[in-house]
Each structure stands twice: as structure tokens, then as C-alpha cells.
């Protein structure tokens, strides 16, 4: 299902033009309008899903296979030195467009970008408490 007023539904389904790198029945891969680096691409499902938890499992599996294939193409064609896969869910995680998308960000030595966090230093007990919360 498409969602009214969802810009990525419109782009994925070709109602709004985009710099398309790949398209099939279920997905469109486009260049990001505000790229972190040269070749920054977005994988968009044509069906609306707000985020990863909303995405059907088959689409999630298909998205990852497509990511692998697109990553190989970007490395081959752009000769990037590395590549980050980024996928944001929710405001707290920096999601700005509420339609699932997977970022493919080619990385170049010295590109000045960073995708980082400050590592914490929990005790074993704290880690165990978190583990229990998640699995029990
Ligand atoms: P988020 O922060 O939600 O993970 O990422 C949204 C991404 O979509 C951003 O990198 C932003 O540059 C990109 N973006 C937002 N609107 C458009 C658009 O209309 N076209 C394209 N190609 N990219 C967009
Ligand atoms: Zn949508």
C-alpha cells in the first residue's frame, strides 16, 4: 500500500522523478539529494512501511540482498575505499523521512565524514541486566 503525502512512496513509485540507479517490482534505488559522499544512495521499498519494525520480513530480506548487490556496484564503479550501511528508525535515531529506507554511503579515505558513537563502559552486571531485559 502507498501512503498519501509520503514523499518516498511517490519517489519509489515514479510519481516524483529521481536519480534512479536501479528499479524492480518492489524497490527503487536512488541517489540521495543531500549526499554525505559521492554516490550516497537510498534503497526504497515501493510499498509503504514506516520503519524497520513495520517492514515485512520478506521485504527486509530482499532489501539486504539488494544492498549487497548495490554495494558491490558502487565499489566497482566509484572505486570507493569503504561503504557504510545506515538505517535510521524514529526521531531519536535521526529518521527524517517516515518511509523505511536504507542508506548506502560510499566512503573515501579522507572524506571528512564520520558515522560514530561514543563507546560506553558498562560493567558485566549492567550488560547482564540489559541482556535479561531483552531476552526474558
Ligand atoms: P533519514 O535521516 O530519514 O535516515 O534520511 C533521509 C534522507 O533522505 C536524507 O539523507 C535526505 O538527504 C534524503 N532526502 C530527503 N528528501 C529527499 C528527496 O526528495 N529526494 C532524495 N533523493 N533524497 C531525499
Ligand atoms: Zn511511503
Amino acid at each position: 500500500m502507498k501512503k498519501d503525502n509520503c514523499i518516498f512512496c511517490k519517489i519509489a513509485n515514479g510519481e516524483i522523478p529521481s536519480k534512479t540507479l536501479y528499479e524492480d517490482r518492489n524497490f527503487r534505488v536512488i541517489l540521495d539529494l543531500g549526499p554525505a559522499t559521492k554516490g550516497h544512495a537510498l534503497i526504497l521499498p515501493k510499498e509503504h512501511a514506516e520503519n524497520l519494525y513495520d517492514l515485512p520480513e520478506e521485504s527486509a530480506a530482499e532489501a539486504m540482498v539488494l544492498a549487497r548487490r548495490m554495494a558491490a556496484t558502487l565499489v566497482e564503479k566509484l572505486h570507493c575505499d569503504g561503504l557504510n550501511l545506515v538505517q535510521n528508525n524514529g526521531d531519536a535515531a535521526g529518521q527524517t523521512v517516515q518511509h523505511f529506507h536504507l542508506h548506502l554511503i560510499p566512503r573515501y579515505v579522507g572524506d571528512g565524514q564520520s558515522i560514530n558513537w561514543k563507546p560506553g563502559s558498562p560493567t558485566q552486571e549492567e550488560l547482564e541486566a540489559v541482556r535479561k531485559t531483552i531476552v526474558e
Side-chain angles (χ1 to χ4, degrees), residues 37-55:
T37 62
K38 184 171 87 176
H40 182 165
L42 301 172
I43 295 181
L44 311 179
K46 292 186 176 180
E47 291 282 309
H48 183 83
E50 190 164 324
N51 50 43
L52 183 62
Y53 353 115
D54 195 25
L55 191 68

Side-chain angles (χ1 to χ4, degrees), residues 3 6 8-9 48 99:
K3 189 176 171 199
C6 172
F8 279 5
C9 276
H48 183 83
H99 174 125

Side-chain angles (χ1 to χ4, degrees), residues 82-128:
L83 187 141
N84 292 114
L85 271 190
V86 176
Q87 201 278 307
N88 301 323
N89 299 283
D91 291 346
Q95 183 177 11
T96 59
V97 180
Q98 310 308 314
H99 174 125
F100 172 89
H101 50 282
L102 189 48
H103 296 259
L104 291 149
I105 306 178
R107 299 303 302 273
Y108 306 89
V109 170
D111 64 24
Q113 294 288 4
S114 64
I115 295 159
N116 269 332
W117 57 87
K118 276 187 292 172
S121 48
T123 62
Q124 285 299 310
E125 290 72 27
E126 286 165 337
L127 285 176
E128 180 59 9

Side-chain angles (χ1 to χ4, degrees), residues 2-20 23 28-31 33 44:
K2 284 189 283 168
K3 189 176 171 199
D4 286 346
N5 300 320
C6 172
I7 187 159
F8 279 5
C9 276
K10 292 191 167 77
I11 292 174
N13 291 282
E15 290 164 38
I16 294 179
S18 61
K19 296 292 183 201
T20 294
E23 183 186 6
R28 184 185 294 270
V29 184
I30 63 170
L31 287 178
L33 273 187
L44 311 179

